Amino acid sequence: MMARITLFGASGTIGVRILDEALRRGHTVTAVVRDVNRLTRDDSSLNVVAGDVLNAEDVVRYTKDQDVVISAVGGGDGPGHQALIEPAARSLVAGLRTLQPGAPRLVVVNGAGSLRTAGGGQIWDTPGLPEFLLEIMHAHGDALAYLRGVDDVAWTVLSPAATITPGDRTGRYRTGGDDLVTDDAGVSAISTEDYAVALLDEVERPQHVGQRFTVAW
């Protein structure tokens, strides 16, 4: 299924991998970024536009007549995430509500902090985590909590493994729900490239509408 995709945050570390994966598969992408000069891609299936995910008019303008909206926005440091992640989810939902019926699906890049661990707690309960990281984790957790109260927009949230870094695209991953996915050694990791593979697989073959899921090797 070739989709018309709007991607917010396309110039970030994860966003650019999602963009590359979407174009690799032949989808048509409208990449919404704050600075168009940060995104240099020469592809006939790509339209790069300047916009703000927190601007309701931008959300409606760039998501109308699309099939899927992907949010890969990030706020840099802890306070930046607090000011952007959950408000972005609210802004996107508000915009998509104006396009009902038939609004595009919303797929949101989230964090791993709220995932449950084998000990029964959540990753963000791990002792010794720095304050800035906790702020980032809880910003994503707040966005997830908000979306879980939304029942009139089709949404999906994808949390990564505990460790996500640029690396190889293997096309291999395992999925889980609200529990951290680990290997036999207890390691939870994924590359940004394989995270993008999993996200585009969900775009093409929806399995988690109205849910959060997670991926790891």
Side-chain angles (χ1 to χ4, degrees), residues 116-147:
R116 290 190 299 253
T117 63
Q122 292 168 284
I123 291 178
W124 59 36
D125 297 323
T126 304
L129 293 175
E131 184 61 28
F132 83 90
L133 185 57
L134 288 170
E135 289 176 334
I136 292 172
M137 288 179 173
H138 283 285
H140 285 293
D142 290 344
L144 174 60
Y146 166 70
L147 288 168

PDB file of all heavy atoms in Angstrom, residues 116-147:
ATOM      1  N   ARG A 116       7.264  -1.265  31.144  1.00  0.00           N
ATOM      2  CA  ARG A 116       7.450  -2.068  32.354  1.00  0.00           C
ATOM      3  C   ARG A 116       8.686  -2.943  32.239  1.00  0.00           C
ATOM      4  O   ARG A 116       8.981  -3.488  31.180  1.00  0.00           O
ATOM      5  CB  ARG A 116       6.221  -2.936  32.615  1.00  0.00           C
ATOM      6  CG  ARG A 116       4.974  -2.175  33.041  1.00  0.00           C
ATOM      7  CD  ARG A 116       3.900  -3.130  33.518  1.00  0.00           C
ATOM      8  NE  ARG A 116       3.495  -4.050  32.472  1.00  0.00           N
ATOM      9  CZ  ARG A 116       2.324  -3.978  31.816  1.00  0.00           C
ATOM     10  NH1 ARG A 116       1.472  -3.012  32.101  1.00  0.00           N
ATOM     11  NH2 ARG A 116       2.017  -4.868  30.894  1.00  0.00           N
ATOM     12  N   THR A 117       9.378  -3.088  33.345  1.00  0.00           N
ATOM     13  CA  THR A 117      10.567  -3.928  33.398  1.00  0.00           C
ATOM     14  C   THR A 117      10.245  -5.255  34.065  1.00  0.00           C
ATOM     15  O   THR A 117       9.170  -5.446  34.624  1.00  0.00           O
ATOM     16  CB  THR A 117      11.693  -3.227  34.176  1.00  0.00           C
ATOM     17  OG1 THR A 117      11.263  -3.036  35.529  1.00  0.00           O
ATOM     18  CG2 THR A 117      12.004  -1.869  33.548  1.00  0.00           C
ATOM     19  N   ALA A 118      11.206  -6.173  34.002  1.00  0.00           N
ATOM     20  CA  ALA A 118      10.996  -7.504  34.581  1.00  0.00           C
ATOM     21  C   ALA A 118      10.732  -7.429  36.077  1.00  0.00           C
ATOM     22  O   ALA A 118      10.070  -8.304  36.648  1.00  0.00           O
ATOM     23  CB  ALA A 118      12.209  -8.388  34.300  1.00  0.00           C
ATOM     24  N   GLY A 119      11.231  -6.388  36.727  1.00  0.00           N
ATOM     25  CA  GLY A 119      11.028  -6.247  38.165  1.00  0.00           C
ATOM     26  C   GLY A 119       9.669  -5.709  38.557  1.00  0.00           C
ATOM     27  O   GLY A 119       9.363  -5.604  39.749  1.00  0.00           O
ATOM     28  N   GLY A 120       8.862  -5.348  37.548  1.00  0.00           N
ATOM     29  CA  GLY A 120       7.508  -4.884  37.842  1.00  0.00           C
ATOM     30  C   GLY A 120       7.352  -3.374  37.853  1.00  0.00           C
ATOM     31  O   GLY A 120       6.240  -2.867  37.889  1.00  0.00           O
ATOM     32  N   GLY A 121       8.477  -2.656  37.834  1.00  0.00           N
ATOM     33  CA  GLY A 121       8.397  -1.204  37.766  1.00  0.00           C
ATOM     34  C   GLY A 121       8.442  -0.729  36.329  1.00  0.00           C
ATOM     35  O   GLY A 121       8.186  -1.492  35.391  1.00  0.00           O
ATOM     36  N   GLN A 122       8.774   0.540  36.160  1.00  0.00           N
ATOM     37  CA  GLN A 122       8.951   1.103  34.829  1.00  0.00           C
ATOM     38  C   GLN A 122      10.392   1.600  34.694  1.00  0.00           C
ATOM     39  O   GLN A 122      11.061   1.854  35.698  1.00  0.00           O
ATOM     40  CB  GLN A 122       7.954   2.234  34.588  1.00  0.00           C
ATOM     41  CG  GLN A 122       6.509   1.733  34.491  1.00  0.00           C
ATOM     42  CD  GLN A 122       5.491   2.848  34.553  1.00  0.00           C
ATOM     43  OE1 GLN A 122       5.220   3.385  35.617  1.00  0.00           O
ATOM     44  NE2 GLN A 122       4.907   3.191  33.409  1.00  0.00           N
ATOM     45  N   ILE A 123      10.842   1.742  33.464  1.00  0.00           N
ATOM     46  CA  ILE A 123      12.235   2.137  33.256  1.00  0.00           C
ATOM     47  C   ILE A 123      12.563   3.413  34.003  1.00  0.00           C
ATOM     48  O   ILE A 123      13.643   3.559  34.589  1.00  0.00           O
ATOM     49  CB  ILE A 123      12.529   2.285  31.750  1.00  0.00           C
ATOM     50  CG1 ILE A 123      12.510   0.908  31.074  1.00  0.00           C
ATOM     51  CG2 ILE A 123      13.879   2.953  31.520  1.00  0.00           C
ATOM     52  CD1 ILE A 123      12.752   0.957  29.575  1.00  0.00           C
ATOM     53  N   TRP A 124      11.636   4.359  34.018  1.00  0.00           N
ATOM     54  CA  TRP A 124      11.928   5.636  34.676  1.00  0.00           C
ATOM     55  C   TRP A 124      12.021   5.537  36.193  1.00  0.00           C
ATOM     56  O   TRP A 124      12.389   6.498  36.863  1.00  0.00           O
ATOM     57  CB  TRP A 124      10.960   6.706  34.247  1.00  0.00           C
ATOM     58  CG  TRP A 124       9.489   6.467  34.511  1.00  0.00           C
ATOM     59  CD1 TRP A 124       8.925   5.845  35.592  1.00  0.00           C
ATOM     60  CD2 TRP A 124       8.401   6.878  33.675  1.00  0.00           C
ATOM     61  NE1 TRP A 124       7.564   5.818  35.489  1.00  0.00           N
ATOM     62  CE2 TRP A 124       7.206   6.455  34.316  1.00  0.00           C
ATOM     63  CE3 TRP A 124       8.304   7.554  32.473  1.00  0.00           C
ATOM     64  CZ2 TRP A 124       5.949   6.704  33.771  1.00  0.00           C
ATOM     65  CZ3 TRP A 124       7.048   7.791  31.937  1.00  0.00           C
ATOM     66  CH2 TRP A 124       5.901   7.374  32.575  1.00  0.00           C
ATOM     67  N   ASP A 125      11.720   4.353  36.740  1.00  0.00           N
ATOM     68  CA  ASP A 125      11.894   4.138  38.179  1.00  0.00           C
ATOM     69  C   ASP A 125      13.316   3.692  38.523  1.00  0.00           C
ATOM     70  O   ASP A 125      13.653   3.544  39.700  1.00  0.00           O
ATOM     71  CB  ASP A 125      10.914   3.066  38.682  1.00  0.00           C
ATOM     72  CG  ASP A 125       9.456   3.493  38.511  1.00  0.00           C
ATOM     73  OD1 ASP A 125       9.173   4.691  38.697  1.00  0.00           O
ATOM     74  OD2 ASP A 125       8.623   2.632  38.190  1.00  0.00           O
ATOM     75  N   THR A 126      14.145   3.464  37.505  1.00  0.00           N
ATOM     76  CA  THR A 126      15.515   3.006  37.730  1.00  0.00           C
ATOM     77  C   THR A 126      16.297   4.033  38.549  1.00  0.00           C
ATOM     78  O   THR A 126      16.341   5.207  38.176  1.00  0.00           O
ATOM     79  CB  THR A 126      16.236   2.781  36.386  1.00  0.00           C
ATOM     80  OG1 THR A 126      15.474   1.858  35.592  1.00  0.00           O
ATOM     81  CG2 THR A 126      17.634   2.239  36.612  1.00  0.00           C
ATOM     82  N   PRO A 127      16.902   3.616  39.667  1.00  0.00           N
ATOM     83  CA  PRO A 127      17.656   4.577  40.493  1.00  0.00           C
ATOM     84  C   PRO A 127      18.825   5.201  39.741  1.00  0.00           C
ATOM     85  O   PRO A 127      19.468   4.545  38.911  1.00  0.00           O
ATOM     86  CB  PRO A 127      18.156   3.712  41.663  1.00  0.00           C
ATOM     87  CG  PRO A 127      17.241   2.527  41.699  1.00  0.00           C
ATOM     88  CD  PRO A 127      16.862   2.269  40.276  1.00  0.00           C
ATOM     89  N   GLY A 128      19.087   6.452  40.012  1.00  0.00           N
ATOM     90  CA  GLY A 128      20.265   7.116  39.481  1.00  0.00           C
ATOM     91  C   GLY A 128      20.123   7.763  38.123  1.00  0.00           C
ATOM     92  O   GLY A 128      21.105   8.298  37.597  1.00  0.00           O
ATOM     93  N   LEU A 129      18.939   7.747  37.548  1.00  0.00           N
ATOM     94  CA  LEU A 129      18.768   8.386  36.250  1.00  0.00           C
ATOM     95  C   LEU A 129      18.870   9.904  36.396  1.00  0.00           C
ATOM     96  O   LEU A 129      18.320  10.482  37.322  1.00  0.00           O
ATOM     97  CB  LEU A 129      17.404   8.031  35.645  1.00  0.00           C
ATOM     98  CG  LEU A 129      17.188   6.566  35.240  1.00  0.00           C
ATOM     99  CD1 LEU A 129      15.764   6.347  34.777  1.00  0.00           C
ATOM    100  CD2 LEU A 129      18.170   6.169  34.147  1.00  0.00           C
ATOM    101  N   PRO A 130      19.575  10.576  35.498  1.00  0.00           N
ATOM    102  CA  PRO A 130      19.717  12.029  35.602  1.00  0.00           C
ATOM    103  C   PRO A 130      18.389  12.737  35.378  1.00  0.00           C
ATOM    104  O   PRO A 130      17.510  12.230  34.665  1.00  0.00           O
ATOM    105  CB  PRO A 130      20.724  12.360  34.506  1.00  0.00           C
ATOM    106  CG  PRO A 130      20.645  11.228  33.546  1.00  0.00           C
ATOM    107  CD  PRO A 130      20.303  10.011  34.352  1.00  0.00           C
ATOM    108  N   GLU A 131      18.256  13.915  35.966  1.00  0.00           N
ATOM    109  CA  GLU A 131      16.998  14.636  35.920  1.00  0.00           C
ATOM    110  C   GLU A 131      16.571  14.959  34.491  1.00  0.00           C
ATOM    111  O   GLU A 131      15.388  14.869  34.149  1.00  0.00           O
ATOM    112  CB  GLU A 131      17.111  15.930  36.735  1.00  0.00           C
ATOM    113  CG  GLU A 131      15.823  16.723  36.835  1.00  0.00           C
ATOM    114  CD  GLU A 131      14.691  15.956  37.509  1.00  0.00           C
ATOM    115  OE1 GLU A 131      14.978  15.068  38.347  1.00  0.00           O
ATOM    116  OE2 GLU A 131      13.519  16.228  37.186  1.00  0.00           O
ATOM    117  N   PHE A 132      17.517  15.341  33.634  1.00  0.00           N
ATOM    118  CA  PHE A 132      17.129  15.704  32.270  1.00  0.00           C
ATOM    119  C   PHE A 132      16.529  14.513  31.530  1.00  0.00           C
ATOM    120  O   PHE A 132      15.590  14.664  30.732  1.00  0.00           O
ATOM    121  CB  PHE A 132      18.342  16.253  31.488  1.00  0.00           C
ATOM    122  CG  PHE A 132      19.231  15.203  30.882  1.00  0.00           C
ATOM    123  CD1 PHE A 132      19.012  14.730  29.600  1.00  0.00           C
ATOM    124  CD2 PHE A 132      20.286  14.670  31.610  1.00  0.00           C
ATOM    125  CE1 PHE A 132      19.835  13.762  29.039  1.00  0.00           C
ATOM    126  CE2 PHE A 132      21.117  13.698  31.062  1.00  0.00           C
ATOM    127  CZ  PHE A 132      20.888  13.238  29.768  1.00  0.00           C
ATOM    128  N   LEU A 133      17.063  13.315  31.806  1.00  0.00           N
ATOM    129  CA  LEU A 133      16.542  12.121  31.157  1.00  0.00           C
ATOM    130  C   LEU A 133      15.155  11.782  31.686  1.00  0.00           C
ATOM    131  O   LEU A 133      14.265  11.386  30.925  1.00  0.00           O
ATOM    132  CB  LEU A 133      17.502  10.951  31.376  1.00  0.00           C
ATOM    133  CG  LEU A 133      17.163   9.649  30.649  1.00  0.00           C
ATOM    134  CD1 LEU A 133      17.050   9.876  29.146  1.00  0.00           C
ATOM    135  CD2 LEU A 133      18.225   8.592  30.946  1.00  0.00           C
ATOM    136  N   LEU A 134      14.943  11.950  32.974  1.00  0.00           N
ATOM    137  CA  LEU A 134      13.618  11.729  33.555  1.00  0.00           C
ATOM    138  C   LEU A 134      12.594  12.684  32.966  1.00  0.00           C
ATOM    139  O   LEU A 134      11.446  12.313  32.709  1.00  0.00           O
ATOM    140  CB  LEU A 134      13.675  11.882  35.083  1.00  0.00           C
ATOM    141  CG  LEU A 134      14.384  10.754  35.832  1.00  0.00           C
ATOM    142  CD1 LEU A 134      14.588  11.141  37.297  1.00  0.00           C
ATOM    143  CD2 LEU A 134      13.576   9.455  35.741  1.00  0.00           C
ATOM    144  N   GLU A 135      13.013  13.927  32.747  1.00  0.00           N
ATOM    145  CA  GLU A 135      12.097  14.896  32.143  1.00  0.00           C
ATOM    146  C   GLU A 135      11.699  14.465  30.735  1.00  0.00           C
ATOM    147  O   GLU A 135      10.522  14.571  30.348  1.00  0.00           O
ATOM    148  CB  GLU A 135      12.750  16.280  32.109  1.00  0.00           C
ATOM    149  CG  GLU A 135      12.895  16.930  33.467  1.00  0.00           C
ATOM    150  CD  GLU A 135      13.625  18.257  33.401  1.00  0.00           C
ATOM    151  OE1 GLU A 135      14.426  18.461  32.474  1.00  0.00           O
ATOM    152  OE2 GLU A 135      13.381  19.097  34.281  1.00  0.00           O
ATOM    153  N   ILE A 136      12.663  13.974  29.974  1.00  0.00           N
ATOM    154  CA  ILE A 136      12.366  13.500  28.628  1.00  0.00           C
ATOM    155  C   ILE A 136      11.425  12.294  28.681  1.00  0.00           C
ATOM    156  O   ILE A 136      10.431  12.215  27.951  1.00  0.00           O
ATOM    157  CB  ILE A 136      13.666  13.149  27.889  1.00  0.00           C
ATOM    158  CG1 ILE A 136      14.476  14.414  27.617  1.00  0.00           C
ATOM    159  CG2 ILE A 136      13.375  12.399  26.582  1.00  0.00           C
ATOM    160  CD1 ILE A 136      15.864  14.164  27.063  1.00  0.00           C
ATOM    161  N   MET A 137      11.736  11.346  29.558  1.00  0.00           N
ATOM    162  CA  MET A 137      10.904  10.147  29.682  1.00  0.00           C
ATOM    163  C   MET A 137       9.474  10.493  30.048  1.00  0.00           C
ATOM    164  O   MET A 137       8.506   9.971  29.466  1.00  0.00           O
ATOM    165  CB  MET A 137      11.497   9.210  30.738  1.00  0.00           C
ATOM    166  CG  MET A 137      12.769   8.503  30.317  1.00  0.00           C
ATOM    167  SD  MET A 137      13.399   7.446  31.666  1.00  0.00           S
ATOM    168  CE  MET A 137      14.744   6.603  30.838  1.00  0.00           C
ATOM    169  N   HIS A 138       9.313  11.378  31.025  1.00  0.00           N
ATOM    170  CA  HIS A 138       7.960  11.706  31.485  1.00  0.00           C
ATOM    171  C   HIS A 138       7.217  12.572  30.481  1.00  0.00           C
ATOM    172  O   HIS A 138       5.977  12.518  30.418  1.00  0.00           O
ATOM    173  CB  HIS A 138       8.015  12.366  32.858  1.00  0.00           C
ATOM    174  CG  HIS A 138       8.245  11.381  33.962  1.00  0.00           C
ATOM    175  ND1 HIS A 138       7.256  10.535  34.425  1.00  0.00           N
ATOM    176  CD2 HIS A 138       9.357  11.076  34.684  1.00  0.00           C
ATOM    177  CE1 HIS A 138       7.734   9.770  35.388  1.00  0.00           C
ATOM    178  NE2 HIS A 138       9.017  10.077  35.568  1.00  0.00           N
ATOM    179  N   ALA A 139       7.938  13.334  29.670  1.00  0.00           N
ATOM    180  CA  ALA A 139       7.271  14.077  28.599  1.00  0.00           C
ATOM    181  C   ALA A 139       6.610  13.105  27.625  1.00  0.00           C
ATOM    182  O   ALA A 139       5.451  13.294  27.216  1.00  0.00           O
ATOM    183  CB  ALA A 139       8.278  14.966  27.864  1.00  0.00           C
ATOM    184  N   HIS A 140       7.336  12.056  27.259  1.00  0.00           N
ATOM    185  CA  HIS A 140       6.748  11.033  26.390  1.00  0.00           C
ATOM    186  C   HIS A 140       5.632  10.277  27.099  1.00  0.00           C
ATOM    187  O   HIS A 140       4.613   9.937  26.485  1.00  0.00           O
ATOM    188  CB  HIS A 140       7.832  10.064  25.927  1.00  0.00           C
ATOM    189  CG  HIS A 140       8.740  10.625  24.883  1.00  0.00           C
ATOM    190  ND1 HIS A 140       8.327  10.926  23.608  1.00  0.00           N
ATOM    191  CD2 HIS A 140      10.063  10.948  24.917  1.00  0.00           C
ATOM    192  CE1 HIS A 140       9.333  11.404  22.898  1.00  0.00           C
ATOM    193  NE2 HIS A 140      10.406  11.428  23.664  1.00  0.00           N
ATOM    194  N   GLY A 141       5.821  10.022  28.391  1.00  0.00           N
ATOM    195  CA  GLY A 141       4.783   9.346  29.152  1.00  0.00           C
ATOM    196  C   GLY A 141       3.502  10.160  29.218  1.00  0.00           C
ATOM    197  O   GLY A 141       2.395   9.613  29.128  1.00  0.00           O
ATOM    198  N   ASP A 142       3.636  11.472  29.351  1.00  0.00           N
ATOM    199  CA  ASP A 142       2.461  12.348  29.375  1.00  0.00           C
ATOM    200  C   ASP A 142       1.727  12.312  28.037  1.00  0.00           C
ATOM    201  O   ASP A 142       0.488  12.320  27.993  1.00  0.00           O
ATOM    202  CB  ASP A 142       2.873  13.783  29.696  1.00  0.00           C
ATOM    203  CG  ASP A 142       3.338  13.961  31.137  1.00  0.00           C
ATOM    204  OD1 ASP A 142       3.071  13.069  31.963  1.00  0.00           O
ATOM    205  OD2 ASP A 142       3.983  14.986  31.425  1.00  0.00           O
ATOM    206  N   ALA A 143       2.482  12.290  26.937  1.00  0.00           N
ATOM    207  CA  ALA A 143       1.855  12.209  25.616  1.00  0.00           C
ATOM    208  C   ALA A 143       1.093  10.901  25.452  1.00  0.00           C
ATOM    209  O   ALA A 143      -0.028  10.875  24.928  1.00  0.00           O
ATOM    210  CB  ALA A 143       2.913  12.350  24.521  1.00  0.00           C
ATOM    211  N   LEU A 144       1.693   9.806  25.899  1.00  0.00           N
ATOM    212  CA  LEU A 144       1.029   8.509  25.817  1.00  0.00           C
ATOM    213  C   LEU A 144      -0.244   8.501  26.660  1.00  0.00           C
ATOM    214  O   LEU A 144      -1.293   8.019  26.212  1.00  0.00           O
ATOM    215  CB  LEU A 144       1.978   7.403  26.279  1.00  0.00           C
ATOM    216  CG  LEU A 144       1.383   5.999  26.385  1.00  0.00           C
ATOM    217  CD1 LEU A 144       0.852   5.522  25.042  1.00  0.00           C
ATOM    218  CD2 LEU A 144       2.430   5.023  26.927  1.00  0.00           C
ATOM    219  N   ALA A 145      -0.158   9.043  27.870  1.00  0.00           N
ATOM    220  CA  ALA A 145      -1.339   9.086  28.739  1.00  0.00           C
ATOM    221  C   ALA A 145      -2.453   9.886  28.088  1.00  0.00           C
ATOM    222  O   ALA A 145      -3.640   9.510  28.169  1.00  0.00           O
ATOM    223  CB  ALA A 145      -0.963   9.680  30.087  1.00  0.00           C
ATOM    224  N   TYR A 146      -2.097  10.995  27.449  1.00  0.00           N
ATOM    225  CA  TYR A 146      -3.117  11.797  26.767  1.00  0.00           C
ATOM    226  C   TYR A 146      -3.759  11.004  25.632  1.00  0.00           C
ATOM    227  O   TYR A 146      -4.994  10.944  25.511  1.00  0.00           O
ATOM    228  CB  TYR A 146      -2.512  13.091  26.228  1.00  0.00           C
ATOM    229  CG  TYR A 146      -3.419  13.774  25.240  1.00  0.00           C
ATOM    230  CD1 TYR A 146      -4.605  14.380  25.658  1.00  0.00           C
ATOM    231  CD2 TYR A 146      -3.134  13.759  23.875  1.00  0.00           C
ATOM    232  CE1 TYR A 146      -5.469  14.966  24.746  1.00  0.00           C
ATOM    233  CE2 TYR A 146      -3.990  14.338  22.961  1.00  0.00           C
ATOM    234  CZ  TYR A 146      -5.154  14.949  23.406  1.00  0.00           C
ATOM    235  OH  TYR A 146      -6.020  15.517  22.501  1.00  0.00           O
ATOM    236  N   LEU A 147      -2.940  10.383  24.788  1.00  0.00           N
ATOM    237  CA  LEU A 147      -3.478   9.664  23.641  1.00  0.00           C
ATOM    238  C   LEU A 147      -4.358   8.501  24.065  1.00  0.00           C
ATOM    239  O   LEU A 147      -5.329   8.162  23.365  1.00  0.00           O
ATOM    240  CB  LEU A 147      -2.333   9.183  22.747  1.00  0.00           C
ATOM    241  CG  LEU A 147      -1.628  10.288  21.961  1.00  0.00           C
ATOM    242  CD1 LEU A 147      -0.341   9.771  21.347  1.00  0.00           C
ATOM    243  CD2 LEU A 147      -2.544  10.861  20.885  1.00  0.00           C
TER     244      LEU A 147
END
